[in-house]
Amino acid sequence: MIDSPYPTGSEHPHATRRGLLRTALGASTAGALALTGARPAHAAPRAAAGRTAFHGVHQAGITNPPPGYGTFLALDVKARDHKDLETLLRTLTDRIRFLTAGGTPPDPGPDAAPADSGTLGPVLPADELTVTVAVGASLFDTRYGLGALRPRRLTAMRPFPVDALRPAECHGDLSLQICAESRDTVQHTIRDLLRSTHGLIRPRWQLDGFQNRSRPTGAARNLLGFKDGIENPDTGNARDTDALVWVGDEPRWAAGGSYQVIRAIRILVAGWDEVPLQQQERMIGRRKSDGAPLGAADETDTPDYRNDPAGAVIPLDSHIRLANPRTDGARDSRILRRAFNYDRGLDPDGEPELGLAFCCYQQDVARQFEAVQIRLDTEPLARHLRPTGGGYFYVLPGVRDATDWLGRTLLTAA
Ligand code: HEM
């Protein structure tokens, strides 16, 4: 039996999230539902998580709904030269292709070390596993002769006034976003990938995330206790994803990729928990109980800013209003958020280190994430948040078929 964080009868936390669900239901076939992992709230509970396709024009792990667990792993590349780097990317491709499909690892016999750690048993479940591979700006330094091929808008993550960054938890040559329905699948995957690329990479930082259950229905909750991920671009609408998420040729090898922003944002829960409810709701702009915009009936209702120009109902400095003021001018700064909660235990002062493993995808970090973050720099909620790490990365184009490999277009253009 698959270890799922959602017990029989409970719904996947994001099953009813607006944009992501539209992706699944838009195709209106059982196949599409199986592919995305989403299902309607009233569907029968599934017995086992399925398989998310690995091959495609774009990598998986961006437009499909986030499953129960997600880890962000940043790596430094230790490959000696261009050829070694190709070996690294080909090896990652082979392992990810195998692990995301699930199946029986080869048996090298009792005199050899086992091919697999065995932590998932003799047959690996697919478990909606996705591994999304992205490159950081530092990979385009002088080491591998890739300087002229750096994606045009890829830079190192810039600091913001709210930040308290820990240098050891920032940046990286590569990022791996590893998502699955079960924690042990994520952990097994990390162990497998590190073993098979030993000597070619060195892990730099890791951020382990999870989704809370959807309670009572609808979107799951973040560790402020508010529903999160209600509003997102419509991932089932190619016009939205082409305008906001996927990158064209800049340069040509990069077509089909996307810019990824990862931020470890600690929530200072001791202070937050003492804030009166009404104030919490005015900081977010939504009701805590059911996620509806203030003054509206349901979490899926659109906030009515036009009839509230002075912010009497939803304050002008509330999180949702600053993040997406819904003006024509702000339309192209929308981002595709795909966040998880994190819990790193206690800090040295005995305070819980909880937060949001914020992740978003976009076409242009300055036009989208940074524009939103700059609007949020002055929000009252910022007093309760402390970003401690993360980075900017470029998600490589998808792997088209069994002969293709991650980064092929980049390395063959060099
Ligand atoms: C710990 C940090 C954060 C927390 C706890 C948080 C929480 C929330 C909550 C509760 C919502 C309302 C529900 C929803 O529409 O999904 C929301 C919406 C949103 N947040 Fe955040 N957020 C955080 C950080 C950020 C950051 C860093 C950004 C981008 C720079 C961001 C951008 C957005 C956007 C774009 C929306 C949707 C607004 C809309 O379209 O109405 N958030 N967030």
Side-chain angles (χ1 to χ4, degrees):
M1 153 125 186
I2 302 287
D3 167 31
S4 166
Y6 317 113
T8 304
S10 88
E11 71 179 77
H12 184 287
H14 291 181
T16 57
R17 286 183 176 193
R18 284 171 127 192
L20 293 170
L21 183 61
R22 271 189 233 120
T23 311
L25 297 182
S28 77
T29 65
L33 288 171
L35 187 75
T36 61
R39 61 205 170 97
H42 51 270
R46 64 181 163 213
R51 177 176 169 176
T52 302
F54 172 63
H55 293 140
V57 176
H58 310 294
Q59 285 194 63
I62 298 177
T63 54
N64 57 308
Y69 295 86
T71 284
F72 298 95
L73 184 63
L75 308 164
D76 286 333
V77 175
K78 294 290 148 195
R80 278 161 311 175
D81 50 28
H82 191 276
K83 195 160 163 290
D84 257 11
L85 179 60
E86 180 173 330
T87 304
L88 167 63
L89 291 167
R90 282 180 180 272
T91 306
L92 279 175
T93 309
D94 289 345
R95 294 314 300 155
I96 296 168
R97 185 183 281 123
F98 174 68
L99 294 168
T100 53
T104 307
D107 177 4
D111 296 330
D116 187 78
S117 63
T119 58
L120 298 180
V123 182
L124 307 181
D127 203 26
E128 305 294 355
L129 175 66
T130 60
V131 181
T132 313
V133 179
V135 292
S138 53
L139 193 72
F140 297 86
D141 61 15
T142 53
R143 281 173 294 167
Y144 306 112
L146 300 176
L149 294 167
R150 184 171 53 80
R152 197 144 57 89
R153 299 163 204 276
L154 183 61
T155 63
M157 181 175 71
R158 54 159 276 191
F160 294 89
V162 289
D163 288 358
L165 299 177
R166 302 167 180 159
E169 295 175 20
C170 296
H171 316 304
D173 292 332
L174 286 184
S175 87
L176 305 181
Q177 176 198 258
I178 302 150
C179 301
E181 282 296 358
S182 323
R183 172 70 193 133
D184 56 3
T185 303
V186 172
Q187 197 273 336
H188 172 269
T189 304
I190 295 169
R191 188 164 161 186
D192 184 293
L193 297 180
L194 294 184
R195 180 183 178 194
S196 45
T197 58
H198 183 74
L200 296 172
I201 46 108
R202 193 177 61 205
R204 192 178 165 93
W205 52 266
Q206 180 174 334
L207 186 59
D208 295 320
F210 58 93
Q211 301 288 350
N212 276 15
R213 289 181 194 141
S214 158
R215 289 190 176 105
T217 56
R221 290 178 187 268
N222 62 32
L223 298 180
L224 294 174
F226 278 78
K227 291 187 171 191
D228 200 344
I230 299 169
E231 275 299 339
N232 245 336
D234 181 356
T235 54
N237 178 340
R239 214 162 8 143
D240 265 18
T241 49
D242 287 347
L244 296 169
V245 179
W246 306 125
V247 173
D249 45 352
E250 47 170 75
R252 174 164 296 187
W253 74 262
S258 184
Y259 288 91
Q260 177 192 53
V261 172
I262 304 168
R263 306 263 291 163
I265 307 178
R266 185 171 177 185
I267 300 176
L268 305 174
V269 288
W272 171 257
D273 288 343
E274 300 310 320
V275 176
L277 175 63
Q278 194 188 37
Q279 231 173 297
Q280 291 189 1
E281 293 183 330
R282 289 177 65 78
M283 276 190 223
I284 298 295
R286 288 181 177 270
R287 271 201 306 268
K288 197 168 187 179
S289 58
D290 60 6
L294 297 179
D298 188 82
E299 80 177 53
T300 56
D301 289 348
T302 303
D304 183 5
Y305 298 145
R306 218 162 265 163
N307 290 314
D308 180 26
V313 181
I314 301 185
L316 301 179
D317 61 2
S318 64
H319 184 74
I320 62 165
R321 196 154 180 175
L322 285 174
N324 181 6
R326 292 168 196 266
T327 54
D328 286 346
R331 277 191 71 73
D332 72 348
S333 65
R334 287 176 300 148
I335 49 179
L336 177 61
R337 291 175 300 139
R338 205 172 183 278
F340 294 83
N341 300 317
Y342 72 78
D343 176 354
R344 289 172 150 176
L346 302 177
D347 74 7
D349 298 324
E351 293 291 335
E353 194 169 338
L354 305 175
L356 190 73
F358 176 90
C359 176
C360 70
Y361 293 94
Q362 59 253 284
Q363 216 167 51
D364 179 343
V365 174
R367 187 190 94 205
Q368 295 171 268
F369 168 75
E370 288 183 353
V372 178
Q373 182 57 58
I374 288 165
R375 291 200 293 267
L376 292 176
D377 278 346
T378 54
E379 64 173 340
L381 179 65
R383 284 196 293 278
H384 303 278
L385 306 179
R386 182 173 295 159
T388 59
Y392 293 171
F393 300 92
Y394 187 77
V395 177
L396 295 169
V399 174
R400 308 264 170 152
D401 54 37
T403 65
D404 198 7
W405 44 281
L406 287 158
R408 176 185 54 80
T409 53
L410 167 62
L411 293 204
T412 53

